[in-house]
Amino acid sequence: MFAAFRVLLLLSLFSLLSAQLHDQRQILLNLKSSLHNSKFSKLFDSWNDNNSVCSFHGVTCNTLRSVTEINLSDQTLTGALPFDSLCNLPSLQKLAFGFNYLYGKVSEDIRKCVNLRYLDLGNNLFSGPFPDISPLNQLQYLFLNKSGFSGTFPWQSLLNMTGLLQLSVGDNPFDFTPFPKEVVSLKKLNWLYLSNCTLGGKLPVGLGNLTELTELEFSDNFITGELPAEIVNLRKLWQFVFFNNTFTGKIPTGFRNLKGLVNLDGSTNRLEGDLSELKYLTNLVSLQFFENNLSGEIPNEIGEFKRLRSLSLYRNKLTGPIPQKVGSWAEFDFIDVSENFLTGTIPPEMCKKGKMTALLVLQNKLTGEIPATYGDCWSLKRLRVSNNLLSGTVPPAIWGLPNAEIIDIELNQLEGMVASDIRNAKKLASILARQNRLSGEIPEEISKATSLLSVDLSENQISGKIPEGIGELKGLGSLHLQRNRLSGSIPESLGSCKSLNDIDLSRNSLSGEIPASLGSFPALNYLNLSDNNLSGEIPRGLSFLRLSLFDLSYNRLTGPIPQALTLEAYNGSLSGNPGLCSVDAINSFPRCSSSSGMSKDIRALIICFAIASILLLSCLGVYLQLKRRKEEGERFGERSLKKESWDVKSFHVLSFSEGEILDSIRQENLIGKGGSGNVYRVTLSNGKELAVKHIWNTDVPARKKSWSSTSMLGTKQGGKSKEFDAEVQALSSIRHVNVVKLYCSITSEDSSLLVYEYLPNGSLWDRLHTSRKMELDWETRYEIAVGAAKGLEYLHHGCERPVLHRDVKSSNILLDEFLKPRIADFGLAKVVQANVGKDSYTGVIAGTHGYIAPEYGYTYKVNEKSDVYSFGVVLMELVTGKRPIEAEFGENKDMVSWVHNKARSKEGLSSAVDSRIPEIYKEEACKVLRTAVLCTGTLPALRPTMRAVVQKLEDAEPLKLVGIVISKDGGEKKIGVNEKK
Ligand SMILES: *[C@@H]1O[C@H](CO)[C@@H](O)[C@H](O)[C@H]1NC(C)=O
Ligand SMILES: *[C@@H]1O[C@H](CO)[C@@H](O)[C@H](O)[C@H]1NC(C)=O
Ligand SMILES: *[C@@H]1O[C@H](CO)[C@@H](O)[C@H](O)[C@H]1NC(C)=O
């Protein structure tokens, strides 16, 4: 009887088991059918009806042949996981699906997987919130990082998981929440990864109780307050990473106890105090505390750390010397201690093991020489020691470092010459050596450094000729050799550097003729050859260049000024060349005698044409002036009569006299020099501030001339610069909050003044990129983007006739005291002539390198869409925080191609967003960047209008934080509301 019972029991157990085994197969085959992977993968070949489920690839069973683990990590799987059936596997303990492309929501059914010890869904493409998993109280490992989960994470589920050893939920776009106190109850935790998941508030009390922690990371959040003292109890930590938060206070006392630390990164916080607590952390391999307010000296002990490979402490307030033995022990990789107040010399042995890639110590007060040891450091890619007090000779081998991409020694007192070793510098893209005491000749071997994109050797004592071989540098974009002692002629071969956009050879002793080949540069934007001994005629080709700066003044040029350069002649670019003559009766140039080069027929034709144009223009001018005078007379009544005798032309009611303005045009009030004139800041007796732009009408550069009392209306048309006319014409009829306000113009025979409102916060360029920069938060940047877009929209669509700005750039966007933007500088603006056809317009083309739309390169026909392109570049500056041209953009050289490349790359547009923009705004920033990408499309027709741009930007409006609520549990919760929605 007992035996029979046993048989029965066995039988029933067996049938139960086989039923389950049958179910298992169903469940796994169901899983297989829910997932897809690459056609060529053999992953699921073993998952068929003939095999035992326990021999399915990735499946593990226990001794009862019940499935315990499914491990399909990193198999390029797509599809959604069927938790409803999966969780019916009765013995399932481990699910590993990390590093795939799984998508969809994780369903509530996962709560049935109550036996799970190990769950890895990290690095996938899920969406929606992650469900409450309180029933999974056996979990030891939970990996959900970088998986697309959003909303609120169910932190309270953790309270039930007292056995949890590793928790990783970072890199998910969760809603803003205080740092979860729940983790404090996870006493066994050895790994906690909470970076980049929108956490705020302070670290919870009790974090120091998690003494099993070996890795602790919560970087890229909004955590505030001080590092709690109890953190020093985490003696087992080997990795502690908390960069990019807003921690304040000091590195806590006792931090020195964390002797196991190998990797420590507290960068981009607001920590203060000194680094003395770090001096016993002798096991550190990587030490990073850049962008804090740390002061004091770098402990000398750090120089004895035997395993240290990287040290990054830039942008602090550190003083004293760099430990001289730093980096001399292990395979040291890089040092960046730039932008501190460090003194002493550069440690000599950081490349002892031959692995160093970056030596970055710029902007300190370092003295002594560049140690010769670095000439042998073939691994070095970046050598930047600029803006220090370094002296002595640059070790010749430095110039030949085979892997160096940038050599930046500018703003020191270094001597020596550019050595012929440079022939070996095959990867060198930038030489920055401005303002040193380099001497000798530029070696012919520079022609072998064929990766060069930019060379700046200006303000040194370099002599001899510019090497003929320079033409070999096909990628060269920028060549600055000004203020040296160069002689000989400009090599004709320079014409083969087809990428050149920026040439400054001024203030040397160059002689001979200007090579005709210079006129054939497609991309040239800036050409300064002034203050040399150049002779001969101006090559005709130069007339066809489209330059934002063109200066041939103070040479010995002769012959007629080409017709197309008449405008240049007016603004002084040709002055100081007594041998030049003018065909068109340009003031201050003698008339060309009839014997000069051209055939009589052509001359006659040109003269006829010129006379006809002048007649036509002056008729038109007189007509317009009479008309305006009449209108103004009507508008202003008596005022206009007075005005006439004062040669003031006002567009707003004035509270000052022109005498007050004229008296203030003095050197000490100079605040800027633009392409077309100087800008002065004028404080009136009533305290009001104005900005005054001074434009010389003829080529009288820096001498003050007496002001004529001729009325502007009586001034000869030929006496004023065209830029002046353009600007006045464009601005006088414009009134918009986002366009700079022009109060009046004051003119004399030889110069003109434009009186504007003064904007105290300078230009957007200054705010973003120069030493006057200040942190612009995302909301401010966004407001600037929208405001500037509206200003430009008004110019294009709001006036009687569209006004092209033609030099849209961040330095032409000024900011008022509330940082509201105003479009400024219409020096190049032209009102689109109604009779020239709506979308084609011919004129002098200019602009600024980095902002110029590609169509300028191949056609003179440009329209509003070219402004849209330039505005797109401004948007990119706002979102990326970078300049339009940066060395880091590499071969592509400008921001537009860099951003477009990002957009196409796997990392995506978001990787281009300024890291200072908080995570919660990243999405909006990306939207703005996407608009910028549209604006900078190659085909003008496909770019949006400014009207559409304004629309798109308004759609990207950031959340407005309207309050902080203290919730029941004491945590803070920011409440965000989109004002528009
Ligand atoms: C947490 O675990 C306890 C038992 O350990 C259980 O009674 C409780 O239901 C669990 N909580 C939830 C929300 O499932
Ligand atoms: C931060 O998280 C987002 C998702 O919220 C992710 O796309 C991004 O790559 C993460 N950043 C880093 C540096 O991993
Ligand atoms: C941390 O541990 C101490 C001592 O064991 C205990 O008194 C304290 O309550 C713990 N703190 C928290 C928040 O768990």
Side-chain angles (χ1 to χ4, degrees):
M1 157 96 187
F2 187 66
F5 177 73
R6 264 176 62 173
V7 169
L8 209 71
L9 192 76
L10 267 177
L11 270 178
S12 66
L13 204 75
F14 181 77
S15 67
L16 196 78
L17 217 64
S18 72
Q20 269 189 9
L21 291 179
H22 175 72
D23 287 350
Q24 289 199 134
R25 179 178 301 277
Q26 282 309 314
I27 292 169
L28 291 181
L29 292 179
N30 178 41
L31 173 63
K32 175 182 170 182
S33 67
S34 309
L35 301 178
H36 318 277
N37 71 340
S38 126
K39 259 202 299 236
F40 306 105
S41 160
K42 297 194 181 331
L43 170 65
F44 284 125
D45 284 2
S46 59
W47 290 47
N48 59 41
D49 281 326
N50 307 326
N51 275 342
S52 141
V53 291
C54 297
S55 58
F56 283 11
H57 180 89
V59 172
T60 309
C61 296
N62 60 16
T63 49
L64 296 171
R65 308 190 64 71
S66 188
V67 173
T68 53
E69 298 184 7
I70 302 175
N71 183 353
L72 295 176
S73 296
D74 201 6
Q75 301 286 355
T76 61
L77 294 171
T78 67
L81 288 177
F83 283 107
D84 50 347
S85 67
L86 265 184
C87 290
N88 288 330
L89 291 169
S91 312
L92 192 62
Q93 296 192 351
K94 175 169 176 175
L95 276 180
F97 286 101
F99 293 98
N100 282 299
Y101 302 93
L102 301 175
Y103 53 77
K105 288 193 172 175
V106 170
S107 80
E108 298 260 330
D109 295 305
I110 196 174
R111 292 156 61 89
K112 293 190 288 174
C113 286
V114 288
N115 290 320
L116 277 185
R117 310 283 195 273
Y118 187 110
L119 176 61
D120 180 7
L121 301 178
N123 295 286
N124 278 292
L125 304 171
F126 295 109
S127 53
F130 189 77
D132 179 283
I133 50 166
S134 310
L136 277 55
N137 55 12
Q138 307 290 306
L139 269 182
Q140 296 177 341
Y141 301 89
L142 179 57
F143 304 113
L144 301 173
N145 52 298
K146 212 168 197 171
S147 262
F149 297 117
S150 56
T152 309
F153 185 77
W155 299 108
Q156 74 288 351
S157 305
L158 300 176
L159 291 171
N160 256 12
M161 298 175 192
T162 46
L164 205 61
L165 299 172
Q166 303 197 344
L167 174 64
S168 170
V169 299
D171 298 325
N172 283 306
F174 294 132
D175 292 345
F176 183 87
T177 175
F179 195 100
K181 317 198 305 179
E182 289 83 354
V183 298
V184 170
S185 59
L186 308 173
K187 296 284 188 290
K188 295 191 177 158
L189 216 52
N190 62 51
W191 191 36
L192 179 58
Y193 180 78
L194 294 178
S195 293
N196 184 23
C197 58
T198 338
L199 301 179
K202 295 184 177 174
L203 292 180
V205 178
L207 198 61
N209 285 5
L210 304 183
T211 49
E212 293 301 313
L213 279 175
T214 58
E215 289 175 61
L216 176 57
E217 297 185 48
F218 39 77
S219 52
D220 286 313
N221 282 300
F222 308 90
I223 307 170
T224 57
E226 302 199 355
L227 286 173
E230 56 178 3
I231 212 107
V232 309
N233 298 331
L234 306 180
R235 301 284 177 94
K236 292 189 180 169
L237 277 185
W238 71 268
Q239 171 152 289
F240 184 25
V241 177
F242 55 98
F243 60 83
N244 201 14
N245 281 288
T246 40
F247 286 110
T248 51
K250 297 180 177 177
I251 299 171
T253 312
F255 204 84
R256 63 181 66 189
N257 295 329
L258 304 181
K259 289 209 171 53
L261 276 176
V262 168
N263 185 10
L264 174 60
D265 191 342
S267 308
T268 318
N269 277 293
R270 298 185 190 153
L271 297 172
E272 52 194 41
D274 63 23
L275 296 173
S276 56
E277 285 291 338
L278 306 182
K279 61 182 154 193
Y280 303 110
L281 306 183
T282 52
N283 284 310
L284 282 175
V285 170
S286 169
L287 173 56
Q288 312 211 33
F289 270 103
F290 60 82
E291 291 180 334
N292 276 289
N293 294 323
L294 297 163
S295 54
E297 302 202 352
I298 302 174
N300 205 36
E301 287 82 351
I302 287 178
E304 303 296 327
F305 289 1
K306 301 291 189 286
R307 303 172 63 191
L308 196 67
R309 289 172 188 225
S310 53
L311 178 63
S312 189
L313 300 171
Y314 64 88
R315 289 208 190 122
N316 277 291
K317 296 172 180 159
L318 299 169
T319 51
I322 307 171
Q324 287 298 292
K325 288 171 82 177
V326 76
S328 62
W329 310 98
E331 291 183 345
F332 195 68
D333 180 10
F334 76 90
I335 186 170
D336 191 348
V337 292
S338 306
E339 298 180 58
N340 280 292
F341 306 103
L342 298 168
T343 51
T345 57
I346 298 174
E349 292 187 317
M350 294 183 286
C351 196
K352 203 169 169 185
K353 292 281 176 6
K355 298 286 183 192
M356 190 179 198
T357 58
L359 168 52
L360 307 169
V361 297
L362 44 134
Q363 214 171 310
N364 278 291
K365 297 175 176 175
L366 299 174
T367 49
E369 305 194 351
I370 300 175
T373 44
Y374 295 108
D376 301 326
C377 187
W378 283 25
S379 52
L380 207 56
K381 291 182 177 166
R382 301 168 70 78
L383 174 79
R384 304 196 66 179
V385 300
S386 54
N387 210 347
N388 277 291
L389 304 166
L390 299 171
S391 55
T393 304
V394 180
I398 292 275
W399 298 104
L401 288 172
N403 287 302
E405 290 159 10
I406 177 168
I407 292 181
D408 173 11
I409 58 172
E410 66 183 28
L411 298 162
N412 279 295
Q413 294 149 23
L414 292 161
E415 293 166 17
M417 47 197 278
V418 180
S420 56
D421 302 56
I422 198 166
R423 74 174 85 85
N424 299 320
K426 294 293 183 215
K427 302 236 169 99
L428 191 58
S430 297
I431 297 177
L432 303 173
R434 178 171 64 104
Q435 275 197 35
N436 276 291
R437 296 175 188 162
L438 300 179
S439 54
E441 302 195 3
I442 301 172
E444 191 63 44
E445 287 83 351
I446 198 171
S447 64
K448 299 286 189 288
T450 46
S451 298
L452 275 172
L453 302 176
S454 99
V455 173
D456 188 348
L457 294 167
S458 61
E459 300 180 59
N460 278 289
Q461 296 154 20
I462 295 171
S463 54
K465 292 181 165 188
I466 300 173
E468 187 64 36
I470 199 125
E472 305 289 312
L473 303 177
K474 301 292 182 222
L476 195 64
S478 169
L479 179 63
H480 281 247
L481 303 176
Q482 71 270 24
R483 296 184 189 231
N484 276 292
R485 298 171 186 169
L486 294 165
S487 55
S489 54
I490 301 174
E492 184 75 35
S493 72
L494 201 58
S496 342
C497 306
K498 292 295 181 207
S499 312
L500 268 175
N501 51 55
D502 191 351
I503 305 177
D504 194 340
L505 307 177
S506 63
R507 301 224 190 170
N508 279 291
S509 305
L510 297 167
S511 55
E513 302 201 355
I514 299 174
S517 61
L518 281 194
S520 60
F521 288 130
L524 196 65
N525 185 247
Y526 183 109
L527 178 65
N528 190 348
L529 305 177
S530 63
D531 284 292
N532 278 292
N533 300 321
L534 299 168
S535 55
E537 297 198 1
I538 300 173
R540 289 183 57 76
L542 288 188
S543 320
F544 303 112
L545 294 171
R546 302 167 288 276
L547 303 172
S548 70
L549 184 137
F550 175 75
D551 195 349
L552 303 183
S553 61
Y554 298 94
N555 276 291
R556 298 178 187 165
L557 299 170
T558 52
I561 297 171
Q563 178 86 29
L565 292 177
T566 307
L567 188 61
E568 301 295 344
Y570 278 129
N571 70 21
S573 297
L574 301 175
S575 49
N577 288 289
L580 285 178
C581 66
S582 153
V583 186
D584 315 312
I586 304 171
N587 279 7
S588 79
F589 286 97
R591 281 275 203 158
C592 294
S593 68
S594 54
S595 62
S596 60
M598 274 181 269
S599 92
K600 274 206 174 125
D601 288 353
I602 294 179
R603 277 183 60 81
L605 206 66
I606 289 178
I607 291 173
C608 279
F609 181 75
I611 291 175
S613 326
I614 290 171
L615 274 177
L616 197 71
L617 274 176
S618 36
C619 286
L620 193 71
V622 167
Y623 167 72
L624 284 177
Q625 284 159 0
L626 284 175
K627 186 161 172 269
R628 174 155 295 161
R629 208 159 152 188
K630 186 159 165 277
E631 283 168 3
E632 277 171 3
E634 283 159 9
R635 247 189 292 153
F636 292 105
E638 268 193 4
R639 269 186 87 86
S640 68
L641 286 176
K642 273 201 206 136
K643 248 183 336 133
E644 199 173 340
S645 55
W646 290 102
D647 76 343
V648 173
K649 192 171 168 66
S650 75
F651 312 111
H652 292 265
V653 180
L654 303 181
S655 59
F656 51 85
S657 73
E658 84 286 2
E660 208 171 349
I661 304 289
L662 298 180
D663 284 346
S664 307
I665 304 305
R666 273 178 272 142
Q667 193 63 28
E668 67 259 33
N669 292 333
L670 188 68
I671 53 171
K673 292 189 181 203
S676 51
N678 294 346
V679 182
Y680 299 82
R681 171 180 174 175
V682 171
T683 310
L684 299 174
S685 50
N686 64 5
K688 192 176 168 68
E689 289 187 310
L690 298 168
V692 179
K693 188 165 167 186
H694 182 200
I695 304 166
W696 289 101
N697 297 337
T698 56
D699 65 328
V700 191
R703 241 172 327 119
K704 187 164 173 176
K705 280 200 167 184
S706 63
W707 295 89
S708 113
S709 61
T710 331
S711 112
M712 176 178 174
L713 302 180
T715 308
K716 279 206 312 280
Q717 187 70 23
K720 281 189 284 103
S721 91
K722 296 210 170 104
E723 291 181 1
F724 178 81
D725 285 347
E727 183 147 359
V728 172
Q729 192 183 4
L731 274 173
S732 59
S733 58
I734 283 167
R735 278 162 181 66
H736 189 272
V737 284
N738 295 117
V739 177
V740 76
K741 196 190 278 181
L742 176 65
Y743 286 113
C744 68
S745 68
I746 303 175
T747 46
S748 73
E749 205 164 89
D750 52 20
S751 66
S752 310
L753 298 172
L754 292 171
V755 181
Y756 299 97
E757 60 182 325
Y758 174 74
L759 296 164
N761 268 319
S763 76
L764 178 58
W765 172 276
D766 290 342
R767 290 296 150 212
L768 284 174
H769 307 307
T770 70
S771 55
R772 292 180 64 203
K773 74 181 171 196
M774 61 182 176
E775 288 273 298
L776 291 176
D777 61 24
W778 172 247
E779 281 139 313
T780 310
R781 295 194 211 192
Y782 172 80
E783 293 298 336
I784 292 171
V786 175
K790 285 182 174 165
L792 213 47
E793 178 196 25
Y794 176 79
L795 294 181
H796 288 179
H797 307 292
C799 308
E800 208 172 313
R801 285 172 299 168
V803 175
L804 294 196
H805 187 291
R806 309 205 308 148
D807 198 14
V808 175
K809 53 181 173 179
S810 58
S811 57
N812 279 341
I813 295 175
L814 305 181
L815 302 172
D816 72 7
E817 68 264 49
F818 306 112
L819 295 171
K820 295 274 175 289
R822 304 261 212 295
I823 305 273
D825 210 331
F826 285 69
L828 301 166
K830 271 282 168 86
V831 178
V832 176
Q833 308 292 311
N835 58 347
V836 184
K838 203 178 159 298
D839 54 9
S840 69
Y841 161 73
T842 308
V844 185
I845 296 195
T848 302
H849 182 56
Y851 296 90
I852 303 175
E855 61 267 23
Y856 278 105
Y858 53 79
T859 169
Y860 278 88
K861 286 182 178 167
V862 297
N863 61 16
E864 300 97 287
K865 295 295 183 68
S866 315
D867 278 354
V868 173
Y869 181 97
S870 310
F871 184 72
V873 178
V874 173
L875 286 181
M876 288 178 179
E877 285 178 82
L878 276 164
V879 178
T880 65
K882 296 184 193 301
R883 300 163 195 242
I885 310 282
E886 298 248 17
E888 72 171 285
F889 300 151
E891 290 284 352
N892 293 321
K893 283 191 306 187
D894 71 11
M895 180 151 62
V896 171
S897 50
W898 183 74
V899 171
H900 282 242
N901 277 337
K902 289 276 183 189
R904 283 190 292 267
S905 75
K906 232 175 89 191
E907 36 185 3
L909 260 189
S910 62
S911 61
V913 175
D914 193 336
S915 58
R916 287 167 296 189
I917 297 176
E919 202 58 44
I920 46 171
Y921 295 130
K922 278 262 162 77
E923 203 176 311
E924 284 98 354
C926 273
K927 277 191 203 158
V928 173
L929 204 49
R930 269 192 287 276
T931 306
V933 168
L934 291 178
C935 291
T936 48
T938 314
L939 289 178
L942 297 183
R943 294 176 204 147
T945 61
M946 277 318 293
R947 189 156 279 167
V949 170
V950 170
Q951 200 97 59
K952 283 173 193 295
L953 290 176
E954 287 182 334
D955 286 346
E957 174 157 24
L959 290 178
K960 287 263 158 38
L961 288 177
V962 297
I964 291 178
V965 171
I966 308 295
S967 62
K968 267 211 309 278
D969 55 4
E972 290 177 347
K973 187 169 170 58
K974 287 190 190 163
I975 309 291
V977 186
N978 190 321
E979 281 185 337
K980 256 181 57 191
K981 287 170 197 140

